Amino acid sequence: MEIQLNAVPHADRPLLEILHLKKHYPVTRGLLKRTVGYVKAVDDVSLTIYPGQTLGLVGESGSGKTTLAHSVMRGITPTAGSVIFHDDHLGPVDVASADPAALRHVRRNMQMVFQDPFSSLNPRMTVLDIIAEPLQVNQIAKGKAAQERVAELLQLVGLRPEYMRRFPHAFSGGQRQRIVVARALALNPRLVLLDEPTSALDVSIQAQTLNLLKDLQSRLNLSYLFISHDLGVVEHVSDTVAVMYVGRVVEVAPTRKLYQQPKHPYTEALLSSIPKPDPTRKKRRIAIAGEIPNPANPPPGCHFHPRCPYAQPICAHEAPPLREVTPGQFAACHFSDELNLKGVNDF
Ligand SMILES: Nc1ncnc2c1ncn2[C@@H]1O[C@H](COP(=O)(O)OP(=O)(O)OP(=O)(O)O)[C@@H](O)[C@H]1O
Ligand SMILES: [Mg+2]
């Protein structure tokens, strides 16, 4: 069954279509490394990203967010499914099966930014060399031309070009993340995959970095896949939000809908746990009963059923498909129509 995710009505055609993507890691045992099962880190995920828009991706630790991003870049090879990048020159390219030349071309258009700006910069390279590296590797610019481009990129991310001869240790966490972003933008990508880009930063620096990312998005018409466990941050930056649970998307909807009237009990539980700025307001937090299941051996039926306060017998043996519950809002729950779930302001 093809799932059409038109979460945000859009005249534009998609930039990226993730279709039935799977990444299963074998679990081996014994001396002979016999395969005894699989960790279904990403299990049949379909999502769409539009030009100039942000798709937020949330879910507890281990739900498969990073694995999904790496599979999109083909940093790891997916087990099944396709990742269609609509390239301006080459047309639609399936990243999951592209030949090396097409892959090299498409990868220029997709860049990834990781959480930790301390480990992602080589301490022995100057900022100039760090940012110029992709230009040189791809034979776009060298020497003076590269230097000029680096100066331009530093300005773009709000850093002084005079800093380019310095080493990463001379910069704060927030400044380092700006250097990482400058390097990611060096080749004029269309899509940037941001994996917890602000989680390692102080709260005040987080806000500045988020504003920078939003500003860059509108100036350069960038698309983002924005991964975070912080639902407050995701609400702030995303046009559409997808919620993952044990390798599967359980809900995807335009941001406002997902936060105001969620259609999956897991989304409701996540929304209930967002910290409230007003300490006098009584927070009725839904305690999500039980632990996140072991992804090598998830519960049958709906993976969430052992923790779900609304579970019925059917949930234990039948996996609910992701279906359109309200226009543009998709949820994988047998009871989305009947349940009256609380939104972010109801807690
Ligand atoms: N190389 C690997 N081999 C086996 N299992 C793996 C591998 N990489 C990830 N996993 C497993 O896949 C699942 C998803 O991991 P992933 O890192 O994608 O989650 P995540 O949502 O990014 O979590 P976090 O919020 O902690 O970053 C986890 O159960 C993890 O242990
Ligand atoms: Mg991760």
Side-chain angles (χ1 to χ4, degrees):
M1 186 192 68
E2 282 297 298
I3 308 171
Q4 284 295 317
L5 294 182
N6 301 315
V8 176
H10 233 275
D12 279 325
R13 60 190 176 89
L15 178 65
L16 189 84
E17 291 173 283
I18 301 171
L19 298 168
H20 303 291
L21 194 69
K22 294 183 184 176
K23 180 64 194 181
H24 296 178
Y25 292 108
V27 179
T28 56
R29 194 165 295 155
L31 218 59
L32 298 175
K33 299 239 175 278
R34 209 161 43 87
T35 300
V36 292
Y38 290 91
V39 171
K40 297 180 177 179
V42 173
D43 195 20
D44 199 357
V45 167
S46 297
L47 291 167
T48 304
I49 303 180
Y50 289 92
Q53 294 220 334
T54 298
L55 173 67
L57 186 60
V58 298
E60 283 165 295
S61 186
S63 54
K65 306 179 297 294
T66 299
T67 304
L68 180 74
H70 283 302
S71 304
V72 166
M73 296 285 294
R74 215 168 107 192
I76 51 181
T77 308
T79 308
S82 44
V83 176
I84 309 294
F85 183 86
H86 291 272
D87 188 83
D88 289 340
H89 302 288
L90 302 179
V93 176
D94 183 1
V95 182
S97 62
D99 61 51
L103 190 61
R104 218 175 307 125
H105 179 89
V106 171
R107 276 207 184 127
R108 278 202 207 168
N109 284 295
M110 295 197 289
Q111 295 289 322
M112 197 153 167
V113 170
F114 299 97
Q115 170 171 352
D116 186 2
F118 291 89
S119 60
S120 50
L121 296 174
N122 184 337
R124 280 179 286 275
M125 285 168 75
T126 64
V127 170
L128 170 62
D129 292 337
I130 287 169
I131 301 176
E133 197 175 36
L135 300 170
Q136 273 148 7
V137 169
N138 288 280
Q139 296 172 353
I140 307 259
K142 54 181 184 180
K144 198 160 164 46
Q147 231 177 78
E148 278 165 17
R149 175 74 176 137
V150 171
E152 191 181 285
L153 286 160
L154 284 173
Q155 252 159 349
L156 192 65
V157 299
L159 291 173
R160 310 240 306 255
E162 303 89 277
Y163 292 170
M164 72 168 75
R165 306 270 173 204
R166 297 188 186 177
F167 290 88
H169 66 77
F171 297 89
S172 68
Q175 289 173 324
R176 283 177 198 227
Q177 201 58 313
R178 285 169 193 255
I179 296 167
V180 172
V181 170
R183 180 179 56 187
L185 297 179
L187 300 173
N188 283 320
R190 301 286 315 278
L191 173 68
V192 185
L193 309 170
L194 301 149
D195 193 356
E196 305 272 6
T198 61
S199 306
L201 307 176
D202 292 345
V203 174
S204 60
I205 308 297
Q206 263 192 34
Q208 288 175 17
T209 310
L210 292 173
N211 287 335
L212 170 72
L213 289 170
K214 287 187 86 164
D215 178 52
L216 290 170
Q217 175 166 50
S218 56
R219 283 163 72 177
L220 306 172
N221 195 32
L222 295 169
S223 299
Y224 291 149
L225 175 69
F226 192 101
I227 296 174
S228 179
H229 61 267
D230 185 333
L231 274 91
V233 167
V234 168
E235 181 181 21
H236 183 66
V237 300
S238 307
D239 298 285
T240 307
V241 175
V243 179
M244 272 184 92
Y245 189 73
V246 200
R248 295 179 184 165
V249 171
V250 296
E251 181 161 3
V252 56
T255 306
R256 212 183 133 72
K257 274 196 170 182
L258 189 123
Y259 281 74
Q260 303 294 327
Q261 41 154 38
K263 291 293 177 190
H264 196 287
Y266 180 58
T267 312
E268 181 188 56
L270 287 179
L271 292 176
S272 76
S273 60
I274 299 179
K276 283 280 172 338
D278 178 2
T280 60
R281 208 164 132 187
K282 192 162 162 271
K283 198 176 76 180
R284 279 170 297 144
R285 176 177 177 159
I286 295 179
I288 313 184
E291 291 290 304
I292 308 169
N294 173 4
N297 187 20
C302 171
H303 289 342
F304 189 58
H305 85 265
R307 303 170 80 189
C308 181
Y310 314 104
Q312 300 292 322
I314 185 181
C315 307
H317 53 83
E318 213 172 288
L322 194 64
R323 62 191 176 85
E324 193 166 17
V325 182
T326 77
Q329 180 170 32
F330 297 75
C333 171
H334 293 298
F335 300 101
S336 290
D337 296 318
E338 287 106 281
L339 293 173
N340 190 14
L341 301 175
K342 290 196 179 80
V344 69
N345 299 325
D346 304 327
F347 292 99

